[in-house]
Amino acid sequence: MSEDYTQYYYHQPFHGGNTTATTFHDDDDSTNYFSSSADHHNRLQPPPPQMFDPSSSYQMSFPGFFNGSNSSADQNSFSGAFAASSDAAAGGGGDQTPATPNSPISSSSTEAAAATAAGEEDSNKGKKEDAEDATSKKDGKEEKKKKKQREERFAFMTKSEVDHLEDGYRWRKYGQKAVKNSSFPRSYYRCTTQKCGVKKHVERSFQDPSIVITTYEGQHNHHLPVTLRGNMSAGIFSPPAEAISNYNNTFIPNNHHQIYGYGSSSDVNNQQQQQQTFVSTQIQQFHQFDDYGALLQDIIPKHEP
DNA sequence: CGAATTTGACCCGCGC
DNA sequence: GCGCGGGTCAAATTCG
């Protein structure tokens, strides 16, 4: 099933750290991948100040920015950011043809949105279903038929010794599972804030145990609960919907740092193909990056809190 | 003592 | 239909 990310691509072509971003599809939904080096700390690298003014309340769904230390020394170690990708962009998903930023969101993305609403409900699944009345059952069935849509996912790889990266939010671990083809277990976390259905799971790359892969699912509907002031913006995980659609599949380049991204092919079993896919997507995305300067401004609102 | 984690059981979707 | 693997639940346990 979700072997979508059995073929990560991790590169460390640059100094310090790098960011690997990936957009892949889990069915019709997508996950963006990116990685950054957290070095010795369980802190994620912040974006370079010139890219993200820590004092401004930029909003992006990049959890990796949560803990920016805003230290200028980190400037070179961060190479990128990503943006939420919805189906249109990832869209290409299968064929890896990045959609234009303004590509209309396909119906599947609408479904995804709907699923977001229904998702929370769905997360409780069948277990308590019998407690539900017949009506909701019926509805539930239809929902399931529609193909279960997951929340948008953001995954990133971080070089870190600790599994659970501090991102400013409070998480409760609710499960752990052994992962096939990996000797490392995957841990499941849920945001402890009430009515916030954001989840994330954390696992280590079996290819490189020093790399932690964190996958976020959903968007926080609240502000950071802890006082990681300044560099952490409130609502960082709740980008406006239009922002999401506008910066689909986008990454923020920094000094020509290489940024990798690929959309997972539906043919995840074909490694070669996937790698090719990866390369081509990478190139395409690089081209897209050319526009990022302007795009970024759209993405990151300048308004002060 | 309340909150968080651990962990085995269970559910579900998917491929064969 | 069955088995597998991912994801979640919830009781037990640990922690602060």
Side-chain angles (χ1 to χ4, degrees), chain A residues 113-155:
Chain A
T116 299
E120 255 67 311
E121 201 73 27
D122 191 48
S123 68
N124 287 332
K125 294 196 225 173
K127 269 200 175 161
K128 298 178 173 142
E129 209 167 78
D130 32 24
E132 306 281 309
D133 61 18
T135 309
S136 62
K137 233 181 201 171
K138 189 177 170 184
D139 290 347
K141 256 186 189 172
E142 282 180 21
E143 301 252 341
K144 275 176 193 166
K145 269 196 174 168
K146 274 189 188 176
K147 195 181 198 175
K148 188 177 169 188
Q149 287 285 333
R150 293 193 158 272
E151 303 254 1
E152 221 165 62
R153 292 193 197 176
F154 311 109

Side-chain angles (χ1 to χ4, degrees), chain A residues 183-201:
Chain A
S183 47
F184 304 99
R186 175 182 297 155
S187 298
Y188 297 89
Y189 298 87
R190 180 175 292 148
C191 182
T192 59
T193 302
Q194 279 199 343
K195 66 189 194 286
C196 176
V198 176
K199 288 177 278 191
K200 74 172 181 182
H201 49 255

Side-chain angles (χ1 to χ4, degrees), chain A residues 24-46:
Chain A
F24 69 79
H25 279 236
D26 183 12
D27 291 330
D28 283 336
D29 73 337
S30 59
T31 298
N32 296 289
Y33 255 119
F34 48 96
S35 78
S36 65
S37 166
D39 295 331
H40 353 283
H41 308 303
N42 59 336
R43 294 288 173 131
L44 296 166
Q45 298 287 345

Side-chain angles (χ1 to χ4, degrees), chain A residues 70-102:
Chain A
N70 98 18
S71 142
S72 56
D74 287 330
Q75 284 186 36
N76 288 333
S77 50
F78 178 82
S79 47
F82 82 101
S85 154
S86 53
D87 295 272
D95 55 11
Q96 269 48 204
T97 305
T100 64
N102 291 325

Side-chain angles (χ1 to χ4, degrees), chain A residues 22-33 83-101 103-106 108-109 152-154 244-245 247-251 261-266 277 281 284-285 288:
Chain A
T22 298
T23 296
F24 69 79
H25 279 236
D26 183 12
D27 291 330
D28 283 336
D29 73 337
S30 59
T31 298
N32 296 289
Y33 255 119
S85 154
S86 53
D87 295 272
D95 55 11
Q96 269 48 204
T97 305
T100 64
S103 296
I105 308 299
S106 65
S108 60
S109 121
E152 221 165 62
R153 292 193 197 176
F154 311 109
I244 290 179
S245 64
Y247 62 96
N248 282 336
N249 239 8
T250 61
F251 302 89
Y262 66 83
S264 83
S265 161
S266 55
T277 285
T281 305
Q284 289 169 332
Q285 289 190 340
Q288 281 195 319

Side-chain angles (χ1 to χ4, degrees), chain A residues 96-304:
Chain A
Q96 269 48 204
T97 305
T100 64
N102 291 325
S103 296
I105 308 299
S106 65
S107 62
S108 60
S109 121
T110 305
E111 281 179 26
T116 299
E120 255 67 311
E121 201 73 27
D122 191 48
S123 68
N124 287 332
K125 294 196 225 173
K127 269 200 175 161
K128 298 178 173 142
E129 209 167 78
D130 32 24
E132 306 281 309
D133 61 18
T135 309
S136 62
K137 233 181 201 171
K138 189 177 170 184
D139 290 347
K141 256 186 189 172
E142 282 180 21
E143 301 252 341
K144 275 176 193 166
K145 269 196 174 168
K146 274 189 188 176
K147 195 181 198 175
K148 188 177 169 188
Q149 287 285 333
R150 293 193 158 272
E151 303 254 1
E152 221 165 62
R153 292 193 197 176
F154 311 109
F156 60 98
M157 295 176 256
T158 306
K159 207 167 172 106
S160 172
E161 290 183 10
V162 296
D163 289 344
H164 194 191
L165 303 172
E166 186 63 52
D167 62 10
Y169 289 93
R170 291 177 57 79
W171 302 92
R172 168 174 292 182
K173 189 175 185 176
Y174 66 89
Q176 178 171 304
K177 266 289 229 182
V179 183
K180 198 191 171 195
N181 293 329
S182 172
S183 47
F184 304 99
R186 175 182 297 155
S187 298
Y188 297 89
Y189 298 87
R190 180 175 292 148
C191 182
T192 59
T193 302
Q194 279 199 343
K195 66 189 194 286
C196 176
V198 176
K199 288 177 278 191
K200 74 172 181 182
H201 49 255
V202 177
E203 64 187 285
R204 287 199 172 273
S205 166
F206 72 98
Q207 289 174 330
D208 185 347
S210 66
I211 296 171
V212 176
I213 298 149
T214 306
T215 304
Y216 287 81
E217 186 174 330
Q219 295 176 22
H220 292 282
N221 56 11
H222 56 92
H223 292 241
L224 285 169
V226 293
T227 54
L228 290 168
R229 29 143 314 124
N231 46 23
M232 309 284 280
S233 64
I236 197 166
F237 221 105
S238 306
E242 65 268 28
I244 290 179
S245 64
N246 280 336
Y247 62 96
N248 282 336
N249 239 8
T250 61
F251 302 89
I252 297 157
N254 176 29
N255 301 333
H256 295 83
H257 280 183
Q258 212 167 350
I259 299 169
Y260 296 89
Y262 66 83
S264 83
S265 161
S266 55
D267 185 6
V268 293
N269 294 322
N270 189 330
Q271 190 170 349
Q272 267 192 328
Q273 178 183 334
Q274 195 169 32
Q275 292 190 2
Q276 288 170 358
T277 285
F278 169 80
V279 170
S280 68
T281 305
Q282 175 186 341
I283 293 168
Q284 289 169 332
Q285 289 190 340
F286 261 115
H287 288 172
Q288 281 195 319
F289 295 160
D290 291 341
D291 298 332
Y292 280 16
L295 186 56
L296 184 59
Q297 293 174 3
D298 294 338
I299 298 168
I300 304 169
K302 290 248 166 145
H303 72 273
E304 295 293 328

